[in-house]
Amino acid sequence: MAKGIVALQKLREQAATLKKYHPDWSFNKIGKKIGCRHSFVSRWVRRDQACEPLHDQSRSGRPPKADAAAQEHIVMAAQLPECRTAADVAAKLQQDQHLSFSVTTVKRVLRQHGLQHLSPVARPMLTDSHKLARVKFAKAVLRRDKTSKRRWLNTDSKIFHLHKMGRPLRRWCSPGARGTVPRPKHSIAAHVYMGICYWGVTKLMFVTGTHKQVSKFVNPKSKRLYAGVGSSEYSEVLSQMFVPEGNRLFQQAGQWADKWQLQQDNAKPQDCHQHGLHCRKCPGRAFSDLASLFS
């Protein structure tokens, strides 16, 4: 029921109720009380006194253009592989069954039967076992002292898929039957590094893996350009972004301004000033995963 109809029904009931509890009140007084004209109050109060319903009577309306048999043909045509849109369904019915329906009629019939125009759901990159393992690891290495948190710069990278090419088109189906598809291998993406700490966040740095951004470093074994971020490019990320940004953020850290620690992706926190720009990777997992913040 529309909101306007519900509000109108409440006004009718309020007018009838006020007249019952205040028989001496005039229609004008009741109208001013509920914000309606006296003719509106007079009409519905008299209907209530005559024991007539205060709601509108149901209307028959125009008979549907598509009868039960035609609706069954529309639903069956929507299940065909070649019929992905309502226009395809209408054209198929016109060609095979010689039934002429507009696209609006086809959409209305399909929605009345519980169908929606949906695309398959992309399978999540992390399974339930992955999520449980991450939670278990985070609880194992969790430190509640504020001192350690205020001197760490947690860093990670994330690939954002801006345009998923190859994803199946939408089709008319029920929400429970939309199915799943694997994530496409080829897409327009943005590979970005970022850091976060108690004192703020770093700027973003786009690296290899971003659309139309090719690595400038050559793999000595294959003699080809790296397809992803190698050790040489990561050293540039450290020297050009993480270390300068860390020094900027930790200026307000007081005693930790020169003792802040850099937490690398899939590594334990390392003292940036002790190990220099080429921080060594250590065994273990990352304390924090920034990718989960953007998923």
Side-chain angles (χ1 to χ4, degrees):
M1 186 179 293
K3 294 182 179 180
I5 299 178
V6 175
L8 188 62
Q9 180 69 22
K10 289 183 178 180
L11 290 177
R12 297 171 183 174
E13 295 174 355
Q14 289 176 1
T17 303
L18 287 175
K19 189 62 177 177
K20 288 181 180 179
Y21 284 93
H22 304 280
D24 55 330
W25 283 15
S26 64
F27 294 149
N28 283 328
K29 185 174 181 179
I30 296 176
K32 291 180 181 179
K33 192 74 174 178
I34 63 177
C36 296
R37 297 173 62 88
H38 73 280
S39 58
F40 176 88
V41 177
S42 172
R43 177 184 179 185
W44 294 105
V45 166
R46 286 175 176 157
R47 288 194 61 172
D48 181 69
Q49 293 174 350
C51 298
E52 295 181 3
L54 299 180
H55 57 80
D56 294 328
Q57 300 293 332
S58 59
R59 302 178 181 180
S60 59
R62 180 181 65 83
K65 184 177 181 180
D67 54 10
Q71 292 183 15
E72 184 177 356
H73 285 300
I74 293 175
V75 175
M76 292 178 61
Q79 307 302 321
L80 299 177
E82 61 270 19
C83 296
R84 293 188 175 274
T85 64
D88 296 339
V89 175
K92 186 69 174 177
L93 293 174
Q94 178 67 30
Q95 179 182 356
D96 297 347
Q97 306 293 336
H98 300 288
L99 297 175
S100 179
F101 295 109
S102 65
V103 177
T104 305
T105 301
V106 172
K107 289 181 180 180
R108 182 170 60 251
V109 171
L110 293 176
R111 292 193 180 102
Q112 288 176 355
H113 284 75
L115 302 182
Q116 299 180 18
H117 201 218
L118 304 173
S119 60
V121 180
R123 296 174 187 171
M125 300 180 66
L126 297 180
T127 62
D128 293 338
S129 59
H130 292 156
K131 297 177 183 179
L132 292 176
R134 290 192 176 192
V135 173
K136 182 178 179 180
F137 169 77
K139 290 182 178 179
V141 300
L142 178 63
R143 298 180 62 180
R144 299 186 181 277
D145 55 304
K146 297 182 179 180
T147 303
S148 61
K149 294 181 181 179
R150 294 190 178 186
R151 61 182 297 188
W152 284 1
L153 176 63
N154 301 297
T155 66
D156 205 347
S157 64
K158 171 67 177 178
I159 299 179
F160 296 91
H161 294 276
L162 306 179
H163 180 237
K164 299 179 179 180
M165 297 183 295
R167 188 171 182 177
L169 300 177
R170 295 185 178 186
R171 62 177 304 110
W172 287 94
C173 61
S174 59
R178 58 190 304 182
T180 58
V181 292
R183 292 184 176 272
K185 297 182 180 180
H186 306 285
S187 61
I188 300 176
H191 190 189
V192 61
Y193 272 90
M194 176 186 169
I196 185 173
C197 65
Y198 177 84
W199 309 100
V201 297
T202 67
K203 65 180 181 180
L204 302 179
M205 185 170 183
F206 295 90
V207 294
T208 301
T210 303
H211 184 59
K212 294 185 179 181
Q213 183 167 341
V214 183
S215 176
K216 58 183 178 181
F217 299 99
V218 179
N219 190 332
K221 295 183 179 180
S222 62
K223 306 300 181 181
R224 297 179 180 178
L225 296 177
Y226 281 102
V229 178
S231 59
S232 301
E233 186 173 3
Y234 187 74
S235 297
E236 284 193 353
V237 175
L238 288 174
S239 60
Q240 298 179 10
M241 198 265 282
F242 282 147
V243 173
E245 285 291 293
N247 292 331
R248 178 183 64 85
L249 293 173
F250 283 93
Q251 286 179 356
Q252 51 188 329
Q255 59 178 328
W256 307 114
D258 297 328
K259 300 178 181 179
W260 59 275
Q261 292 182 337
L262 176 70
Q263 182 273 322
Q264 301 178 71
D265 183 17
N266 294 329
K268 291 183 178 180
Q270 297 297 312
D271 192 333
C272 182
H273 295 273
Q274 177 181 354
H275 296 282
L277 300 181
H278 299 276
C279 299
R280 293 185 294 105
K281 290 235 173 179
C282 300
R285 301 284 298 277
F287 173 75
S288 64
D289 188 4
L290 291 184
S292 61
L293 300 178
F294 301 101
S295 300

